[in-house]
Amino acid sequence: MIRSSRIYVAGHRGLVGGAIMRRIERQGYETIITRTRDELDLTDQQAVNEFFDQQRPEYVFLAAAKVGGIMANSTYPADFIRENLLIQTNVIEAAYRSGVRKLLFLGSSCIYPKLAPQPIKEEYLLTGLLEPTNKAYAIAKIAGLTMVDAYREQFGFNGVSLMPTNLYGPGDNFDLESSHVLPALIRKFHEAKLSGAPTVTVWGTGTPRREFLHVDDLADAAAFIMDKYDGGDILNIGVGEDVSIGELAALVAQIVGYEGEIVFDTSKPDGTPRKLLDNSRLLSLGWRPKIALKDGIVSTYKWYVANGAQQS
Ligand code: GFB
């Protein structure tokens, strides 16, 4: 990408899209194209084709998706598979048809088998059964990376696919029903501190392990890959270590300054026991994450108090 490149960020207001916008704006790119959901419905193929024909972007960050945590995914599987299949199919097809030079597709670590050996290598894809709580979303994302692969094979279209681990950071969703664990815990402990609540409830047993990558590290890697990687292999991106949900809850409580009791609601699902990614492929390309989990949670909490607390 050069300064005058026409760059389209699909999903520019989301957690990932917002971080990508911050990253490429900081680099001084002059023509960054965005559309809000009201301006362009990415589930409408004709509207997407017309948009690409008019705007002719050269580079596309496909960060638009319907995302959510374990409860949202297990409650609305039809919405997750339908919207994600439509969005990615429309954007990949229109990008190819309109002559986009390169598209970056973003998947998720939940594409891998529930009980894959850890850390998870890219080649473990489709070697076992998926985690039931997010199977619909996972299959949509597997279809997306497969479509990128097929368009490269049949048409020589330069699409690359990045599979991030669990993400967090400024601009996250803090709604307690639809969010992921880290923003949910930040909000729960913050509100409990303010209200003086004696306990905070954490879902599940607290034993599952999760890996967390700050979204600014992801955006840095996305810009790096857009410039440096033109291969057909999917790339995992993580930080190389994980924590248990119980450890995470204790860490967030300490950062927020909550001193009450943590209780576990085992009627809520644990989801997959572990999904630590092997990111040696990406590391071998020369990229590495910079934001440590504790620092990332501290800065995200500061952002939440300044912005999120009013919204949610
Ligand atoms: O982040 P999370 O919703 O998604 O849940 P997944 C991670 C773990 O945190 C689960 C526990 O074991 C939850 O039971 N947890 C504890 C909580 N307290 C809470 C809470 O208050 N809210 C939430 N949300 N979880 C998602 C997939 O799986 O990972 C998505 O459903 C996507 O499709 C995403 O792939 C990256 O990590 O289990």
Side-chain angles (χ1 to χ4, degrees), residues 174 186 190 193 299-310:
F174 289 84
I186 286 174
H190 178 69
K193 182 178 81 168
S299 59
T300 303
Y301 179 48
K302 284 196 179 105
W303 181 90
Y304 173 68
V305 172
N307 300 272
Q310 286 82 353

Side-chain angles (χ1 to χ4, degrees), residues 1 6-8 52 57-62 95-96 99-105 152 157-161 222-231:
M1 296 188 293
R6 297 179 63 76
I7 304 168
Y8 170 43
F52 272 82
E58 297 166 274
Y59 297 88
V60 177
F61 290 93
L62 179 40
Y96 158 65
V100 161
R101 293 162 63 104
K102 188 167 180 181
L103 175 142
L104 173 61
F105 174 71
R152 172 181 291 277
F157 178 63
N158 191 10
V160 292
S161 292
F224 174 88
I225 288 161
M226 189 63 99
D227 273 342
K228 302 254 189 331
Y229 179 72
D230 294 311

Side-chain angles (χ1 to χ4, degrees), residues 91-147:
V91 173
I92 295 166
E93 165 65 10
Y96 158 65
R97 279 171 38 137
S98 64
V100 161
R101 293 162 63 104
K102 188 167 180 181
L103 175 142
L104 173 61
F105 174 71
L106 287 158
S108 166
S109 59
C110 71
I111 63 169
Y112 294 110
K114 176 179 179 118
L115 303 175
Q118 308 282 322
I120 304 172
K121 292 181 184 299
E122 290 91 348
E123 53 261 33
Y124 297 167
L125 180 63
L126 294 175
T127 59
L129 294 176
L130 295 169
E131 157 59 37
T133 53
N134 55 46
K135 187 171 69 176
Y137 176 75
I139 287 179
K141 286 297 181 181
I142 292 170
L145 69 90
T146 305
M147 188 166 173

Side-chain angles (χ1 to χ4, degrees), residues 70 73 108 110 134 137 166 179 181 188 203 210 269-270 275:
I70 191 164
N73 267 276
S108 166
C110 71
N134 55 46
Y137 176 75
N166 287 47
S179 62
V181 59
K188 284 181 175 180
W203 295 350
R210 291 293 183 273
D270 269 340
K275 44 180 179 173

Side-chain angles (χ1 to χ4, degrees), residues 52-267:
F52 272 82
D53 289 347
Q54 285 157 15
Q55 293 298 320
R56 296 277 167 191
E58 297 166 274
Y59 297 88
V60 177
F61 290 93
L62 179 40
K66 180 170 180 55
V67 297
I70 191 164
M71 201 56 75
N73 267 276
S74 33
T75 310
Y76 306 105
D79 297 344
F80 275 89
I81 193 162
R82 174 187 172 277
E83 281 191 44
N84 285 305
L85 285 178
L86 284 171
I87 289 169
Q88 64 201 30
T89 301
N90 293 345
V91 173
I92 295 166
E93 165 65 10
Y96 158 65
R97 279 171 38 137
S98 64
V100 161
R101 293 162 63 104
K102 188 167 180 181
L103 175 142
L104 173 61
F105 174 71
L106 287 158
S108 166
S109 59
C110 71
I111 63 169
Y112 294 110
K114 176 179 179 118
L115 303 175
Q118 308 282 322
I120 304 172
K121 292 181 184 299
E122 290 91 348
E123 53 261 33
Y124 297 167
L125 180 63
L126 294 175
T127 59
L129 294 176
L130 295 169
E131 157 59 37
T133 53
N134 55 46
K135 187 171 69 176
Y137 176 75
I139 287 179
K141 286 297 181 181
I142 292 170
L145 69 90
T146 305
M147 188 166 173
V148 167
D149 197 28
Y151 273 55
R152 172 181 291 277
E153 195 178 316
Q154 184 174 335
F155 306 122
F157 178 63
N158 191 10
V160 292
S161 292
L162 187 54
M163 298 298 128
T165 190
N166 287 47
L167 300 171
Y168 73 99
D172 207 343
N173 165 22
F174 289 84
D175 173 80
L176 292 182
E177 284 310 308
S178 62
S179 62
H180 291 96
V181 59
L182 191 39
L185 293 181
I186 286 174
R187 179 174 172 185
K188 284 181 175 180
F189 285 116
H190 178 69
E191 292 181 347
K193 182 178 81 168
L194 296 186
S195 69
T199 64
V200 165
T201 301
V202 174
W203 295 350
T205 61
T207 58
R209 300 186 67 83
R210 291 293 183 273
E211 179 185 21
F212 294 97
L213 176 73
H214 192 284
V215 74
D216 286 348
D217 269 338
L218 174 71
D220 186 58
F224 174 88
I225 288 161
M226 189 63 99
D227 273 342
K228 302 254 189 331
Y229 179 72
D230 294 311
D233 292 330
I234 62 174
L235 295 175
N236 285 342
I237 174 168
V239 293
E241 58 187 20
D242 59 4
V243 290
S244 75
I245 297 305
E247 289 162 347
L248 182 71
L251 178 59
V252 174
Q254 180 203 5
I255 289 167
V256 168
Y258 176 73
E259 294 170 353
E261 192 192 347
I262 296 171
V263 295
F264 291 92
D265 173 2
T266 52
S267 73

